[in-house]
Amino acid sequence: AKVAELELAEKQKMKEKVEMILKHDITCFINRQLIYNYPEQLFADAGVMAIEHADFEGVERLALVLGGEIVSTFGHPELVKLGECKVIEEVMIG
């Protein structure tokens, strides 16, 4: 029962974090770390593409090219400058 309680609490924390991110009114979220299935599903349900395992240099280049900034906390969407582009495509290399 204690494990189930902890899992439920962790799931709720993930949901709250995703909701904070979604308040930024984004269509794509790029993360340097793994995005677990549950938060990935929450993003998908909200129509937001989630990209995981982006390397640091790649994220820095994207921020520069797209005109946005790298954000590590999500509590103040009004302070964040979002980047933008017309098309996102997945390209398999190799």
Coordinates of all heavy atoms in Angstrom, one line a residue:
A1 N 0.8 -1.2 0.0 CA 0.0 0.0 0.0 C 0.9 1.3 0.0 O 0.5 2.2 -0.7 CB -0.9 0.0 1.2
K2 N 2.0 1.2 0.7 CA 2.9 2.4 0.8 C 3.5 2.6 -0.6 O 3.6 3.8 -1.0 CB 4.0 2.1 1.8 CG 4.8 3.3 2.2 CD 4.0 4.3 3.0 CE 4.9 5.4 3.5 NZ 4.2 6.5 4.0
V3 N 3.9 1.6 -1.3 CA 4.4 1.8 -2.6 C 3.4 2.4 -3.6 O 3.8 3.3 -4.4 CB 4.9 0.4 -3.2 CG1 5.4 0.5 -4.6 CG2 6.1 -0.1 -2.4
A4 N 2.2 1.9 -3.5 CA 1.1 2.5 -4.4 C 0.9 4.0 -4.1 O 0.7 4.8 -5.0 CB -0.1 1.7 -4.2
E5 N 1.0 4.3 -2.8 CA 0.8 5.7 -2.4 C 2.0 6.6 -3.0 O 1.7 7.7 -3.5 CB 0.9 5.8 -0.8 CG -0.3 6.1 -0.1 CD -0.1 6.2 1.4 OE1 0.6 7.1 1.9 OE2 -0.7 5.4 2.0
L6 N 3.2 6.1 -2.9 CA 4.3 6.8 -3.4 C 4.2 6.9 -4.9 O 4.5 8.0 -5.5 CB 5.6 6.1 -3.1 CG 6.0 6.1 -1.6 CD1 7.2 5.2 -1.3 CD2 6.4 7.5 -1.2
E7 N 3.8 5.9 -5.6 CA 3.6 5.9 -7.1 C 2.6 7.0 -7.5 O 2.8 7.7 -8.4 CB 3.3 4.6 -7.6 CG 4.4 3.6 -7.7 CD 4.0 2.2 -8.1 OE1 2.8 1.9 -8.3 OE2 4.9 1.4 -8.3
L8 N 1.5 7.0 -6.7 CA 0.4 8.0 -7.0 C 0.9 9.4 -6.8 O 0.6 10.3 -7.6 CB -0.8 7.7 -6.1 CG -2.0 8.4 -6.4 CD1 -2.5 8.1 -7.8 CD2 -3.2 8.1 -5.4
A9 N 1.7 9.6 -5.7 CA 2.2 10.9 -5.4 C 3.2 11.4 -6.5 O 3.2 12.5 -6.9 CB 2.9 10.9 -4.0
E10 N 4.0 10.4 -7.0 CA 5.0 10.7 -8.0 C 4.3 11.1 -9.3 O 4.6 12.0 -10.0 CB 5.9 9.6 -8.2 CG 7.1 9.8 -9.1 CD 8.0 10.9 -8.6 OE1 8.2 11.1 -7.4 OE2 8.6 11.6 -9.5
K11 N 3.2 10.3 -9.6 CA 2.4 10.6 -10.8 C 1.8 11.9 -10.8 O 1.8 12.7 -11.7 CB 1.4 9.4 -11.0 CG 0.8 9.3 -12.3 CD -0.1 8.1 -12.4 CE -0.7 7.9 -13.8 NZ -1.5 6.7 -13.9
Q12 N 1.3 12.3 -9.6 CA 0.7 13.6 -9.4 C 1.7 14.7 -9.6 O 1.4 15.8 -10.2 CB 0.0 13.7 -8.0 CG -0.8 15.0 -7.8 CD -1.9 15.2 -8.8 OE1 -2.6 14.3 -9.3 NE2 -2.1 16.5 -9.2
K13 N 2.9 14.5 -9.1 CA 4.0 15.5 -9.3 C 4.3 15.7 -10.7 O 4.5 16.8 -11.2 CB 5.2 15.1 -8.5 CG 5.3 15.5 -7.1 CD 6.5 15.0 -6.3 CE 7.8 15.3 -7.0 NZ 9.0 14.9 -6.3
M14 N 4.4 14.6 -11.5 CA 4.7 14.7 -12.9 C 3.5 15.4 -13.6 O 3.8 16.3 -14.5 CB 4.8 13.2 -13.5 CG 6.1 12.6 -13.3 SD 6.2 11.0 -14.2 CE 6.2 9.8 -12.9
K15 N 2.3 15.1 -13.3 CA 1.2 15.8 -13.9 C 1.2 17.3 -13.7 O 1.0 18.1 -14.6 CB -0.1 15.2 -13.4 CG -1.4 15.8 -14.0 CD -2.7 15.2 -13.6 CE -3.8 15.7 -14.4 NZ -5.0 15.7 -13.7
E16 N 1.5 17.7 -12.4 CA 1.6 19.1 -12.1 C 2.7 19.8 -12.9 O 2.6 20.9 -13.3 CB 1.8 19.3 -10.6 CG 0.5 19.0 -9.8 CD 0.8 18.9 -8.3 OE1 1.9 19.1 -7.8 OE2 -0.2 18.5 -7.6
K17 N 3.9 19.1 -13.0 CA 5.0 19.7 -13.8 C 4.6 19.9 -15.2 O 4.9 20.9 -15.9 CB 6.2 18.9 -13.6 CG 7.4 19.5 -14.3 CD 8.7 18.9 -13.9 CE 9.9 19.7 -14.4 NZ 11.2 19.1 -14.0
V18 N 4.0 18.9 -15.8 CA 3.5 19.0 -17.2 C 2.5 20.1 -17.4 O 2.6 20.9 -18.3 CB 2.9 17.6 -17.7 CG1 2.2 17.8 -19.1 CG2 4.0 16.6 -17.8
E19 N 1.6 20.2 -16.4 CA 0.6 21.3 -16.5 C 1.3 22.7 -16.5 O 0.9 23.6 -17.2 CB -0.4 21.2 -15.4 CG -1.4 20.0 -15.6 CD -2.3 19.7 -14.4 OE1 -2.0 20.2 -13.3 OE2 -3.2 18.9 -14.6
M20 N 2.4 22.8 -15.6 CA 3.1 24.1 -15.6 C 3.8 24.4 -16.9 O 3.8 25.5 -17.4 CB 4.2 24.0 -14.5 CG 3.6 24.3 -13.1 SD 4.8 24.5 -11.7 CE 6.4 24.4 -12.4
I21 N 4.3 23.3 -17.5 CA 5.0 23.5 -18.8 C 3.9 23.9 -19.9 O 4.2 24.8 -20.7 CB 5.7 22.2 -19.2 CG1 6.9 22.0 -18.3 CG2 6.2 22.3 -20.7 CD1 7.6 20.6 -18.4
L22 N 2.8 23.2 -19.9 CA 1.7 23.5 -20.9 C 1.2 24.9 -20.8 O 0.7 25.5 -21.7 CB 0.6 22.5 -20.7 CG 0.9 21.1 -21.1 CD1 -0.2 20.1 -20.8 CD2 1.4 21.0 -22.6
K23 N 1.3 25.6 -19.6 CA 0.9 27.0 -19.4 C 1.7 27.9 -20.3 O 1.3 29.1 -20.5 CB 1.0 27.4 -18.0 CG -0.2 26.8 -17.1 CD -0.1 27.2 -15.7 CE -1.2 26.5 -14.9 NZ -1.2 26.8 -13.5
H24 N 2.8 27.4 -20.9 CA 3.6 28.3 -21.7 C 3.0 28.3 -23.1 O 3.6 29.0 -24.0 CB 5.1 27.7 -21.8 CG 5.9 27.9 -20.6 ND1 5.6 27.2 -19.4 CD2 6.8 28.8 -20.3 CE1 6.5 27.6 -18.5 NE2 7.2 28.6 -19.0
D25 N 1.9 27.6 -23.4 CA 1.2 27.7 -24.7 C 2.2 27.3 -25.8 O 2.4 28.0 -26.8 CB 0.6 29.0 -24.9 CG -0.4 29.0 -26.0 OD1 -1.0 27.9 -26.3 OD2 -0.6 30.0 -26.7
I26 N 2.8 26.1 -25.7 CA 3.8 25.6 -26.6 C 3.2 24.5 -27.5 O 2.1 23.9 -27.2 CB 5.0 25.0 -25.9 CG1 4.6 23.9 -24.9 CG2 5.8 26.1 -25.2 CD1 5.7 23.2 -24.3
T27 N 3.8 24.2 -28.6 CA 3.4 23.1 -29.5 C 4.5 22.0 -29.5 O 4.2 20.9 -29.9 CB 3.1 23.5 -30.9 OG1 4.3 24.2 -31.4 CG2 1.9 24.5 -30.9
C28 N 5.7 22.3 -29.0 CA 6.8 21.3 -28.9 C 7.6 21.6 -27.7 O 8.0 22.7 -27.4 CB 7.6 21.5 -30.2 SG 9.0 20.3 -30.2
F29 N 7.9 20.5 -26.9 CA 8.7 20.6 -25.7 C 10.0 19.8 -26.0 O 9.9 18.6 -26.3 CB 7.9 20.1 -24.5 CG 8.7 20.0 -23.3 CD1 9.2 21.2 -22.6 CD2 9.1 18.8 -22.7 CE1 9.9 21.1 -21.4 CE2 9.8 18.7 -21.5 CZ 10.2 19.9 -20.9
I30 N 11.1 20.4 -25.9 CA 12.4 19.7 -26.1 C 13.1 19.5 -24.7 O 13.3 20.5 -24.0 CB 13.3 20.4 -27.1 CG1 12.6 20.6 -28.4 CG2 14.6 19.7 -27.3 CD1 13.3 21.6 -29.4
N31 N 13.4 18.3 -24.4 CA 14.0 18.0 -23.1 C 15.4 17.3 -23.2 O 15.5 16.4 -24.1 CB 13.0 17.1 -22.3 CG 13.4 17.1 -20.8 OD1 13.9 18.0 -20.2 ND2 13.0 15.9 -20.2
R32 N 16.3 17.6 -22.4 CA 17.6 16.9 -22.4 C 17.6 15.5 -21.8 O 18.4 14.7 -22.0 CB 18.7 17.8 -21.7 CG 19.0 19.0 -22.6 CD 20.1 19.9 -22.0 NE 21.2 19.1 -21.7 CZ 21.9 19.2 -20.6 NH1 21.6 20.0 -19.6 NH2 23.0 18.4 -20.4
Q33 N 16.5 15.2 -21.0 CA 16.5 14.0 -20.3 C 15.3 13.1 -20.9 O 14.6 13.6 -21.7 CB 16.2 14.2 -18.8 CG 17.3 15.0 -18.2 CD 17.0 15.4 -16.7 OE1 15.8 15.5 -16.4 NE2 18.0 15.6 -15.9
L34 N 15.2 11.9 -20.4 CA 14.2 11.0 -20.7 C 12.8 11.6 -20.3 O 12.7 12.2 -19.2 CB 14.4 9.7 -20.0 CG 13.3 8.6 -20.1 CD1 13.3 8.0 -21.4 CD2 13.5 7.6 -19.0
I35 N 11.8 11.4 -21.1 CA 10.5 11.8 -20.7 C 9.7 10.5 -20.5 O 9.6 9.7 -21.5 CB 9.8 12.6 -21.8 CG1 10.6 13.9 -22.0 CG2 8.3 13.0 -21.3 CD1 10.1 14.8 -23.1
Y36 N 9.2 10.2 -19.3 CA 8.5 8.9 -19.0 C 7.2 8.9 -19.8 O 6.7 9.9 -20.3 CB 8.3 8.8 -17.5 CG 9.5 8.6 -16.8 CD1 10.0 9.6 -16.0 CD2 10.3 7.4 -16.8 CE1 11.2 9.5 -15.3 CE2 11.4 7.3 -16.1 CZ 11.9 8.3 -15.3 OH 13.1 8.1 -14.7
N37 N 6.6 7.7 -19.9 CA 5.4 7.5 -20.7 C 4.2 8.3 -20.3 O 3.5 8.9 -21.1 CB 5.0 6.0 -20.7 CG 6.0 5.1 -21.4 OD1 6.8 5.6 -22.3 ND2 6.0 3.8 -21.2
Y38 N 4.0 8.4 -19.0 CA 2.9 9.1 -18.5 C 2.9 10.6 -18.9 O 2.0 11.1 -19.5 CB 2.7 9.0 -17.0 CG 1.6 9.8 -16.4 CD1 0.2 9.5 -16.8 CD2 1.8 10.8 -15.5 CE1 -0.8 10.3 -16.3 CE2 0.7 11.5 -14.9 CZ -0.6 11.2 -15.4 OH -1.6 12.0 -14.8
P39 N 4.0 11.3 -18.6 CA 4.1 12.7 -19.0 C 4.1 12.9 -20.5 O 3.5 13.8 -21.1 CB 5.4 13.3 -18.4 CG 6.0 12.2 -17.7 CD 5.2 11.0 -17.7
E40 N 4.7 12.0 -21.2 CA 4.7 12.0 -22.7 C 3.2 11.9 -23.2 O 2.8 12.6 -24.1 CB 5.5 10.9 -23.3 CG 5.7 11.0 -24.8 CD 6.7 10.0 -25.3 OE1 6.8 8.9 -24.7 OE2 7.3 10.3 -26.3
Q41 N 2.4 11.1 -22.6 CA 1.0 10.9 -22.9 C 0.2 12.2 -22.6 O -0.6 12.6 -23.4 CB 0.4 9.7 -22.2 CG -1.0 9.5 -22.7 CD -1.1 9.2 -24.1 OE1 -0.4 8.3 -24.6 NE2 -2.0 9.8 -24.9
L42 N 0.6 12.9 -21.5 CA -0.1 14.1 -21.1 C 0.2 15.2 -22.2 O -0.7 16.0 -22.6 CB 0.3 14.6 -19.8 CG -0.1 13.7 -18.6 CD1 0.5 14.3 -17.3 CD2 -1.6 13.7 -18.5
F43 N 1.5 15.3 -22.6 CA 1.8 16.2 -23.7 C 1.1 15.9 -25.0 O 0.5 16.8 -25.6 CB 3.3 16.1 -24.0 CG 4.2 16.9 -23.0 CD1 5.2 16.2 -22.3 CD2 4.0 18.2 -22.7 CE1 6.0 16.9 -21.4 CE2 4.8 18.9 -21.8 CZ 5.8 18.2 -21.1
A44 N 1.0 14.6 -25.3 CA 0.3 14.2 -26.6 C -1.2 14.5 -26.5 O -1.7 15.0 -27.4 CB 0.5 12.7 -26.8
D45 N -1.8 14.3 -25.3 CA -3.2 14.6 -25.1 C -3.5 16.1 -25.3 O -4.5 16.5 -25.7 CB -3.7 14.2 -23.8 CG -3.7 12.6 -23.6 OD1 -3.6 11.9 -24.7 OD2 -3.8 12.2 -22.5
A46 N -2.4 16.9 -25.0 CA -2.6 18.4 -25.1 C -2.1 18.9 -26.5 O -2.1 20.1 -26.8 CB -1.8 19.1 -24.0
G47 N -1.7 17.9 -27.4 CA -1.3 18.3 -28.7 C 0.1 18.9 -28.8 O 0.5 19.6 -29.7
V48 N 0.9 18.5 -27.8 CA 2.3 19.0 -27.7 C 3.3 17.9 -28.1 O 3.2 16.8 -27.5 CB 2.6 19.6 -26.3 CG1 4.1 19.9 -26.2 CG2 1.8 20.8 -26.1
M49 N 4.1 18.1 -29.0 CA 5.2 17.1 -29.4 C 6.3 17.2 -28.3 O 6.7 18.3 -28.0 CB 5.8 17.5 -30.7 CG 6.9 16.6 -31.1 SD 7.8 17.2 -32.6 CE 6.5 17.1 -33.8
A50 N 6.7 16.0 -27.8 CA 7.7 16.0 -26.8 C 8.9 15.3 -27.4 O 8.9 14.2 -27.9 CB 7.2 15.2 -25.6
I51 N 10.1 16.0 -27.4 CA 11.3 15.5 -27.9 C 12.2 15.3 -26.7 O 12.5 16.2 -25.9 CB 12.0 16.4 -28.9 CG1 11.0 16.6 -30.1 CG2 13.3 15.9 -29.3 CD1 11.4 17.7 -31.1
E52 N 12.8 14.0 -26.5 CA 13.6 13.8 -25.4 C 15.1 13.5 -25.8 O 15.3 13.3 -27.0 CB 13.1 12.6 -24.6 CG 13.0 11.3 -25.4 CD 12.3 10.2 -24.6 OE1 11.8 10.3 -23.5 OE2 12.2 9.1 -25.2
H53 N 16.0 13.4 -24.8 CA 17.4 13.1 -25.1 C 18.1 14.1 -26.0 O 19.0 13.6 -26.8 CB 17.6 11.7 -25.6 CG 17.2 10.6 -24.6 ND1 17.9 10.5 -23.4 CD2 16.3 9.6 -24.6 CE1 17.3 9.5 -22.7 NE2 16.4 9.0 -23.4
A54 N 17.7 15.3 -26.0 CA 18.4 16.3 -26.9 C 19.7 16.6 -26.2 O 19.7 16.8 -25.0 CB 17.5 17.6 -27.0
D55 N 20.8 16.7 -26.9 CA 22.1 17.0 -26.3 C 22.2 18.5 -26.0 O 21.5 19.3 -26.6 CB 23.3 16.4 -27.1 CG 23.5 17.1 -28.4 OD1 23.0 18.3 -28.6 OD2 24.2 16.6 -29.3
F56 N 23.1 18.8 -25.0 CA 23.1 20.2 -24.6 C 23.5 21.2 -25.7 O 22.9 22.2 -25.9 CB 24.1 20.3 -23.4 CG 24.2 21.7 -22.8 CD1 23.1 22.1 -22.0 CD2 25.2 22.6 -23.1 CE1 23.1 23.4 -21.5 CE2 25.2 23.8 -22.5 CZ 24.2 24.3 -21.7
E57 N 24.5 20.8 -26.5 CA 24.9 21.7 -27.6 C 23.8 21.8 -28.6 O 23.6 22.9 -29.2 CB 26.2 21.1 -28.3 CG 27.4 21.3 -27.4 CD 28.7 20.7 -28.1 OE1 28.6 20.4 -29.3 OE2 29.7 20.7 -27.4
G58 N 23.1 20.8 -28.9 CA 22.0 20.8 -29.8 C 20.9 21.8 -29.3 O 20.3 22.6 -30.1
V59 N 20.6 21.7 -28.0 CA 19.6 22.6 -27.4 C 20.0 24.0 -27.5 O 19.2 24.9 -27.8 CB 19.3 22.1 -26.0 CG1 18.4 23.2 -25.3 CG2 18.6 20.8 -26.0
E60 N 21.3 24.3 -27.2 CA 21.8 25.6 -27.3 C 21.7 26.2 -28.7 O 21.3 27.3 -29.0 CB 23.3 25.7 -26.9 CG 23.4 25.6 -25.3 CD 24.8 25.9 -24.9 OE1 25.8 25.6 -25.6 OE2 25.0 26.5 -23.8
R61 N 22.1 25.3 -29.7 CA 22.0 25.8 -31.1 C 20.5 26.0 -31.5 O 20.2 27.0 -32.2 CB 22.6 24.7 -32.1 CG 24.1 24.7 -32.0 CD 24.7 24.0 -33.2 NE 24.2 22.6 -33.4 CZ 24.8 21.5 -32.8 NH1 25.9 21.6 -32.2 NH2 24.2 20.4 -33.0
L62 N 19.6 25.2 -31.1 CA 18.2 25.3 -31.4 C 17.7 26.6 -30.8 O 16.9 27.4 -31.4 CB 17.4 24.2 -30.8 CG 17.3 22.9 -31.7 CD1 16.6 21.8 -30.9 CD2 16.6 23.2 -33.0
A63 N 18.0 26.9 -29.6 CA 17.6 28.2 -28.9 C 18.1 29.4 -29.7 O 17.3 30.3 -29.9 CB 18.1 28.2 -27.5
L64 N 19.3 29.3 -30.2 CA 19.9 30.4 -30.9 C 19.2 30.6 -32.3 O 18.7 31.7 -32.6 CB 21.4 30.2 -31.1 CG 22.2 31.3 -31.8 CD1 22.2 32.5 -30.9 CD2 23.6 30.8 -32.1
V65 N 19.0 29.5 -33.0 CA 18.4 29.6 -34.3 C 16.9 29.9 -34.2 O 16.4 30.6 -35.1 CB 18.6 28.2 -35.0 CG1 17.7 28.1 -36.3 CG2 20.0 28.0 -35.4
L66 N 16.2 29.4 -33.2 CA 14.7 29.6 -33.1 C 14.3 30.9 -32.4 O 13.2 31.2 -32.3 CB 14.1 28.4 -32.4 CG 14.3 27.0 -33.2 CD1 13.7 25.9 -32.4 CD2 13.8 27.1 -34.6
G67 N 15.3 31.5 -31.8 CA 15.0 32.8 -31.1 C 14.4 32.6 -29.7 O 13.8 33.5 -29.2
G68 N 14.6 31.4 -29.1 CA 14.0 31.2 -27.8 C 15.1 31.1 -26.8 O 16.3 31.3 -27.0
E69 N 14.7 30.8 -25.5 CA 15.7 30.6 -24.5 C 15.5 29.3 -23.8 O 14.4 28.7 -23.8 CB 15.6 31.8 -23.4 CG 14.3 31.9 -22.7 CD 14.2 33.1 -21.8 OE1 15.1 33.9 -21.8 OE2 13.1 33.2 -21.2
I70 N 16.6 28.8 -23.2 CA 16.6 27.5 -22.5 C 16.0 27.8 -21.1 O 16.5 28.7 -20.4 CB 18.0 26.9 -22.4 CG1 18.5 26.6 -23.9 CG2 18.0 25.7 -21.6 CD1 20.0 26.3 -23.9
V71 N 15.1 27.0 -20.7 CA 14.4 27.2 -19.4 C 14.5 25.9 -18.6 O 14.4 24.8 -19.1 CB 12.9 27.5 -19.7 CG1 12.1 27.7 -18.4 CG2 12.7 28.7 -20.6
S72 N 14.8 26.1 -17.3 CA 14.9 24.9 -16.4 C 13.8 25.0 -15.3 O 13.6 24.0 -14.7 CB 16.3 24.9 -15.8 OG 16.6 26.0 -15.1
T73 N 13.1 26.1 -15.2 CA 12.0 26.1 -14.2 C 10.8 26.7 -15.0 O 11.0 27.5 -16.0 CB 12.3 27.0 -13.0 OG1 12.6 28.3 -13.4 CG2 13.4 26.4 -12.2
F74 N 9.6 26.3 -14.6 CA 8.5 26.6 -15.5 C 7.4 27.4 -14.8 O 6.2 27.5 -15.3 CB 7.9 25.3 -16.0 CG 8.9 24.5 -16.7 CD1 9.6 23.4 -16.1 CD2 9.3 24.8 -18.0 CE1 10.6 22.7 -16.7 CE2 10.3 24.0 -18.6 CZ 10.9 23.0 -18.0
G75 N 7.6 28.0 -13.7 CA 6.6 28.7 -12.9 C 6.2 30.0 -13.4 O 5.1 30.5 -13.0
H76 N 6.9 30.6 -14.3 CA 6.6 32.0 -14.8 C 6.6 32.1 -16.3 O 7.5 32.6 -16.9 CB 7.5 33.0 -14.2 CG 7.4 33.2 -12.7 ND1 6.4 33.8 -12.1 CD2 8.1 32.6 -11.7 CE1 6.5 33.8 -10.8 NE2 7.6 33.0 -10.6
P77 N 5.6 31.5 -17.0 CA 5.6 31.5 -18.5 C 5.7 32.9 -19.1 O 6.2 33.1 -20.2 CB 4.2 30.9 -18.8 CG 3.6 30.5 -17.6 CD 4.4 30.9 -16.4
E78 N 5.2 33.9 -18.4 CA 5.2 35.3 -18.9 C 6.6 35.8 -19.0 O 6.8 36.8 -19.8 CB 4.3 36.2 -18.0 CG 4.9 36.5 -16.7 CD 4.8 35.4 -15.6 OE1 4.2 34.4 -15.9 OE2 5.2 35.7 -14.5
L79 N 7.6 35.2 -18.4 CA 9.0 35.7 -18.4 C 9.8 35.0 -19.5 O 11.0 35.3 -19.7 CB 9.6 35.5 -17.1 CG 9.0 36.3 -15.9 CD1 9.7 36.0 -14.6 CD2 8.9 37.8 -16.2
V80 N 9.2 33.9 -20.1 CA 10.0 33.1 -21.0 C 9.8 33.5 -22.5 O 8.7 33.8 -22.9 CB 9.5 31.6 -20.9 CG1 10.2 30.7 -21.9 CG2 9.7 31.1 -19.5
K81 N 11.0 33.6 -23.2 CA 10.9 33.9 -24.6 C 10.9 32.6 -25.4 O 11.9 31.9 -25.3 CB 12.1 34.8 -25.0 CG 12.1 35.2 -26.4 CD 13.3 36.1 -26.8 CE 13.2 36.4 -28.3 NZ 14.5 36.7 -28.8
L82 N 9.8 32.3 -26.1 CA 9.7 31.1 -26.8 C 10.3 31.2 -28.2 O 10.2 32.3 -28.8 CB 8.2 30.7 -26.9 CG 7.5 30.4 -25.7 CD1 6.0 30.1 -26.0 CD2 8.1 29.3 -24.9
G83 N 10.9 30.2 -28.7 CA 11.4 30.1 -30.1 C 10.3 29.7 -31.0 O 9.3 29.2 -30.5
E84 N 10.5 29.9 -32.3 CA 9.5 29.4 -33.2 C 10.1 28.9 -34.5 O 11.1 29.4 -34.9 CB 8.4 30.4 -33.4 CG 8.8 31.7 -33.9 CD 7.7 32.7 -34.1 OE1 7.3 33.4 -33.1 OE2 7.1 32.8 -35.2
C85 N 9.4 28.0 -35.2 CA 9.7 27.6 -36.5 C 8.5 27.2 -37.2 O 7.4 27.0 -36.6 CB 10.7 26.4 -36.5 SG 10.1 24.9 -35.8
K86 N 8.5 27.0 -38.5 CA 7.4 26.6 -39.3 C 7.2 25.1 -39.3 O 6.1 24.6 -39.4 CB 7.5 27.2 -40.7 CG 7.4 28.7 -40.8 CD 7.4 29.1 -42.2 CE 7.6 30.6 -42.4 NZ 6.5 31.5 -42.1
V87 N 8.3 24.3 -39.4 CA 8.2 22.9 -39.6 C 9.2 22.2 -38.7 O 10.3 22.6 -38.5 CB 8.5 22.5 -41.0 CG1 8.4 21.0 -41.2 CG2 7.5 23.1 -42.0
I88 N 8.7 21.0 -38.1 CA 9.6 20.1 -37.3 C 9.5 18.8 -38.0 O 8.4 18.2 -38.3 CB 9.2 20.0 -35.9 CG1 9.2 21.3 -35.2 CG2 10.0 18.9 -35.2 CD1 8.6 21.3 -33.8
E89 N 10.7 18.2 -38.4 CA 10.7 16.9 -39.1 C 11.7 16.0 -38.4 O 12.7 16.5 -37.9 CB 11.2 17.1 -40.5 CG 10.2 17.9 -41.4 CD 10.7 18.0 -42.8 OE1 11.9 18.0 -43.1 OE2 9.8 18.2 -43.7
E90 N 11.3 14.8 -38.3 CA 12.2 13.8 -37.8 C 13.0 13.2 -38.9 O 12.4 12.7 -39.9 CB 11.5 12.7 -37.0 CG 12.4 11.6 -36.4 CD 11.6 10.6 -35.6 OE1 10.4 10.6 -35.7 OE2 12.3 9.8 -35.0
V91 N 14.4 13.2 -38.8 CA 15.2 12.6 -39.9 C 16.1 11.5 -39.2 O 16.7 11.7 -38.2 CB 16.1 13.7 -40.5 CG1 17.0 13.1 -41.5 CG2 15.3 14.8 -41.1
M92 N 16.0 10.3 -39.8 CA 16.8 9.2 -39.3 C 18.2 9.2 -40.0 O 18.2 9.3 -41.3 CB 16.1 7.9 -39.6 CG 14.8 7.8 -38.9 SD 14.8 8.0 -37.1 CE 15.5 6.4 -36.6
I93 N 19.2 9.2 -39.3 CA 20.6 9.2 -39.8 C 21.3 7.9 -39.6 O 21.3 7.4 -38.5 CB 21.4 10.4 -39.2 CG1 20.8 11.7 -39.5 CG2 22.8 10.4 -39.8 CD1 21.4 12.9 -38.8
G94 N 21.8 7.3 -40.6 CA 22.6 6.1 -40.5 C 21.8 4.9 -40.9 O 20.7 4.7 -41.2

